[in-house]
DNA sequence: CTGAAAGCGCTTACAG
DNA sequence: CTGAAAGCGCTTACAG
């Protein structure tokens, strides 16, 4: 068991001061070529690596990014982490991940815990409960303390900070517009309850698209699902009683569930019913039929979020802090055509 | 912008020493009731929270766990992280995630980076490249420095440490045994190349099961896939030339790909061909037909791994370090019956 | 009961 | 060219 070696030990071993060792290793010109080499050779031999914690304390920056998301067993969020991680790594940052499990309390606790010195900033997506409560004091507090926050996907206007989103409303609009252009008249919507910000926006997009095409917006054709576990009955009812010829679903799970239920009821997809989902994940790719969907590039979103955060982090060092030019970056989306929509 | 307050500032404000503040906040009996209350009130008012980094440096422990896995956009690994995170949180630990992207170099770099004081220990699953190279010096080094490591899923016998695995060989055996018991005679295997440890074990289980039932092991019926991207041709060839009546696939992707290809070729699943996969993920659940599979409880694996690591971490404090009783925990698996196997 | 000092591992302005 | 000192934010054994 050879514990990690410290400057102190090297200094003692070489009979010089700690300062000399430190400077030698950082190639300070103050130090003579001779001792520098001696120290460096010794350090190499003992595989000296500076202690991150000590550096963090000294420099008052940790070079780590805190990520707080609702869940990780979720293709889109995993994808975003992956994007963050990549950019973070390229810039010498590490990533510490906390899950809120869609709970407000967990989100607050995690945020406060990480804010006590563990990270330089945050990248986050709101939990459903937080969106419902509209209580963002924990985020505001962190920002007030001078730690930058970047929100993505599930964001709020009530907090001023950098944001990375897609244009949910427009993307939904385009999906529905596509269906209309293909001649569908009875387009249903399977969406979330309204407090889920992205769900609400996608719902708005659906409504706008119908309006713009002078199609009626029928409440019977809009199914709002609170709890994913028992969404089946509502969708079945929609299918049976309202006989839509197309469905726009605001996520993969709603889309695949609709397909499965329709198929079970003898409704053929896409012959009798076309379906468009949202998020181009594993399910959309491997479902049978595969699902036409609005792609949402999580890797890119994560990467951008990390870039924004790091830029702000590095900027702060130079300029005086109050550069309140918060940016909201839009990641483009597009429709991925697959088998679940008929090409009449 | 009100920056976080420190002991020093509180001390100054209250005109007492830093030690007194520190002790007051930790409810030391040394301090008079009076000053203790005064300090605590003030600290509360200013929302004082001790700085994690300073505590880490002082205590020589970070209360964070380093996780190094091949990828995160992967249902099983995401599931394991989720399990780790939960147990970690319950015990006051945070989790810092690094991805090796299946690359040996990235695995080494990440490990070394985190080992320089950022984490108290590691939970990891080997990258494919590492398994191929059989170079584990980075792991051994970390262990030699006194940091505990827990490996899961993709583990190696060449490193002594705690491990959490499933019995891959037995699980595969049981899956194939099930197929045999249902009367299938021409059971094919779609597996990985041999250097992937879990793939190899599952292959062994397949072979053993056939042997024990006096069924021939035919190399033509075994497809080893190196690169997931272009596995189609090999599976098509298998289907066309060898006409298996059942397939055991060592992961979800191979299973669903086999189903899709078979269906495209007019082979009906499960009527003409039964398929069993491995890992009960999103794909298995939402594929059509849904896939019979060997469940592999990632949440539980992650939870156990975290438990093992934390136990060792807390143990070290007391006993003298060389308690080299490394444990290997087996997580039970079972067959989840779904639509992809016919129930003759 | 309170506080000065040492120390965790490092860096850097300053003296010599 | 080298080293002592101060400091990052904290804790704790020790003096007073």
């Amino acid at each position: 068991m050879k514990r990690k070696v410290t400057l102190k030990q090297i200094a003692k071993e070489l009979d010089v001061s700690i300062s000399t060792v430190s400077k030698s290793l950082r190639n300070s010109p103050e130090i003579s070529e001779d001792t520098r080499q001696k120290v460096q050779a010794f350090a190499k031999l003992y595989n000296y690596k500076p202690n991150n914690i000590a550096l963090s304390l000294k420099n008052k920056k940790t070079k780590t990014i805190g990520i707080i998301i609702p869940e990780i067993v979720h293709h889109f969020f995993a994808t975003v982490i992956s994007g963050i991680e990549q950019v973070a790594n390229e810039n010498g940052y590490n990533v510490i991940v906390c899950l809120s499990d869609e709970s407000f309390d967990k989100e607050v606790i995690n945020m406060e815990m990480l804010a006590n010195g563990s990270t330089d900033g945050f990248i986050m997506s709101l939990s459903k409960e937080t969106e419902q409560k509209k209580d963002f004091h924990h985020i505001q507090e962190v920002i007030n303390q001078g730690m930058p926050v970047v929100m993505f996907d599930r964001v709020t206007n009530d907090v001023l900070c950098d944001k990375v989103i897609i244009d949910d409303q427009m993307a939904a609009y385009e999906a529905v517009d596509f269906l209309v252009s293909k001649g569908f008249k009875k387009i249903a919507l399977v969406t979330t309850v309204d407090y889920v910000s992205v769900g609400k926006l996608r719902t708005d997009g659906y409504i706008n698209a119908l309006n713009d095409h002078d199609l009626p917006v029928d409440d019977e054709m809009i199914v709002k699902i609170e709890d994913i576990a028992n969404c089946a009955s509502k969708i079945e009812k929609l299918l049976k009683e309202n006989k839509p010829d197309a469905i726009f679903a605001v996520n993969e799970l709603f889309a695949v569930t609709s397909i499965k239920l329709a198929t079970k009821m003898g409704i053929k997809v896409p012959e009798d019913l076309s379906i468009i989902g949202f998020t181009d994940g594993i399910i959309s790719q491997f479902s049978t039929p595969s699902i036409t969907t609005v792609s949402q590039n999580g890797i890119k979103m994560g990467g951008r979020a990390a870039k924004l955060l790091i830029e702000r982090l590095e900027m702060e060092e130079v300029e005086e802090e109050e550069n309140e030019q918060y940016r909201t970056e839009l990641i483009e989306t597009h429709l991925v055509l697959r088998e679940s929509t008929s090409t009449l």
Side-chain angles (χ1 to χ4, degrees), chain A:
Chain A
M1 171 104 48
K2 51 174 176 94
R3 288 251 167 220
K4 292 203 83 70
V5 65
T6 66
L7 289 188
K8 199 176 178 179
Q9 289 164 41
I10 297 182
K12 193 171 170 193
E13 214 67 45
L14 258 39
D15 208 33
V16 293
S17 76
I18 295 177
S19 337
T20 302
V21 177
S22 175
K23 287 174 192 158
S24 300
L25 293 176
R26 325 198 96 243
N27 281 314
S28 157
E30 282 186 70
I31 303 295
S32 74
E33 187 59 26
D34 224 40
T35 51
R36 201 197 314 172
Q37 296 217 333
K38 191 178 59 177
V39 171
Q40 293 195 351
F42 191 89
K44 183 152 199 180
L45 182 64
Y46 280 83
N47 192 25
Y48 170 80
K49 295 275 165 50
N51 178 303
N52 294 153
I53 297 291
L55 287 178
S56 294
L57 186 60
K58 180 75 193 165
N59 300 333
K60 291 169 150 272
K61 57 174 115 138
T62 61
K63 285 281 192 174
T64 99
I65 296 173
I67 301 181
I68 301 181
I69 51 172
E71 39 176 341
I72 197 169
V73 185
H74 185 294
H75 187 267
F76 172 65
F77 285 126
T79 275
V80 173
I81 296 184
S82 187
I84 295 173
E85 219 265 347
Q86 206 173 303
V87 172
N89 259 11
E90 283 165 10
N91 290 275
Y93 284 77
N94 276 125
V95 142
I96 172 162
V97 176
C98 285
L99 309 179
S100 65
D101 283 335
E102 302 286 10
S103 142
F104 173 76
D105 289 341
K106 275 199 76 178
E107 186 176 294
V108 173
I109 289 173
N110 282 326
M111 193 133 194
E112 287 178 350
M113 171 171 268
L114 295 188
N116 295 324
S118 300
T119 65
D120 295 340
F122 289 92
I123 295 177
M124 69 182 303
S125 194
L126 297 169
S127 81
K128 281 186 191 167
E129 214 186 331
T130 307
E131 291 200 305
Q132 192 169 17
K133 286 182 102 129
K134 293 184 187 300
D135 180 347
F136 310 111
H137 77 275
H138 51 304
I139 305 174
Q140 197 54 59
E141 189 140 312
V142 159
I143 294 176
N144 290 345
Q145 286 169 4
M147 305 182 75
V149 172
V150 178
M151 310 223 286
F152 72 90
D153 196 52
R154 279 146 52 166
V155 305
T156 172
N157 285 327
D158 295 359
V159 175
L160 289 177
C161 65
D162 292 321
K163 288 161 197 169
V164 180
I165 52 176
I166 58 169
D167 189 335
D168 285 283
Q169 192 176 322
M170 178 66 80
Y173 185 101
E174 286 171 1
V176 175
D177 185 67
F178 172 83
L179 290 172
V180 173
S181 77
K182 289 292 174 186
F184 296 104
K185 300 268 187 256
K186 299 182 66 179
I187 304 170
L189 172 71
V190 180
T191 186
T192 63
V193 284
D194 278 348
Y195 67 74
V196 179
S197 58
V198 295
K200 177 67 167 70
L201 289 168
R202 293 169 198 172
T203 300
D204 292 345
Y206 162 87
I207 293 174
N208 291 346
L210 292 189
N211 281 339
D212 285 1
H213 286 288
D214 294 321
L215 287 169
V217 174
D218 180 358
D219 274 354
E220 295 282 298
M221 294 289 269
I222 299 180
V223 175
K224 294 193 180 175
I225 289 169
E226 168 100 47
D227 180 13
I228 248 169
N230 37 0
C231 58
S233 62
K234 285 186 160 182
I235 297 179
E236 268 173 4
K237 181 158 173 277
L238 169 75
L239 256 22
K240 191 170 306 173
E241 299 183 5
N242 299 288
K243 305 208 184 307
D245 52 15
I247 290 180
F248 172 56
V250 301
N251 61 43
E252 285 198 303
L253 223 50
F254 292 171
V256 75
T257 304
S258 301
I259 291 181
K260 291 229 162 202
L261 289 171
T263 307
K264 207 167 68 181
M265 293 166 69
I267 302 169
K268 283 196 172 144
V269 179
E271 294 81 353
D272 307 331
L273 175 69
S274 282
I275 293 185
I276 296 186
F278 212 106
T279 300
D280 185 17
I282 288 291
I283 295 178
S284 302
Q285 290 166 48
F286 290 105
S287 160
T288 304
S290 59
I291 305 178
T292 293
T293 193
V294 177
S295 80
Q296 192 184 11
N297 193 330
I299 300 274
K300 196 180 267 186
M301 282 187 92
R304 285 291 173 76
K307 188 148 168 287
L308 280 178
L309 185 68
I310 291 171
E311 275 175 15
R312 195 163 287 277
L313 250 18
E314 324 255 273
M315 176 173 85
E316 278 186 355
E317 294 168 23
V318 216
E319 312 169 34
E320 211 21 55
E321 320 231 338
E322 310 296 333
N323 186 326
E324 308 283 87
Q325 298 281 34
Y326 291 123
R327 289 160 296 179
T328 292
E329 291 212 1
L330 275 184
I331 303 295
E332 62 286 4
T333 57
H334 60 274
L335 210 53
V336 181
L337 297 180
R338 294 224 181 79
E339 302 163 355
S340 69
T341 40
S342 66
T343 48
L344 311 171

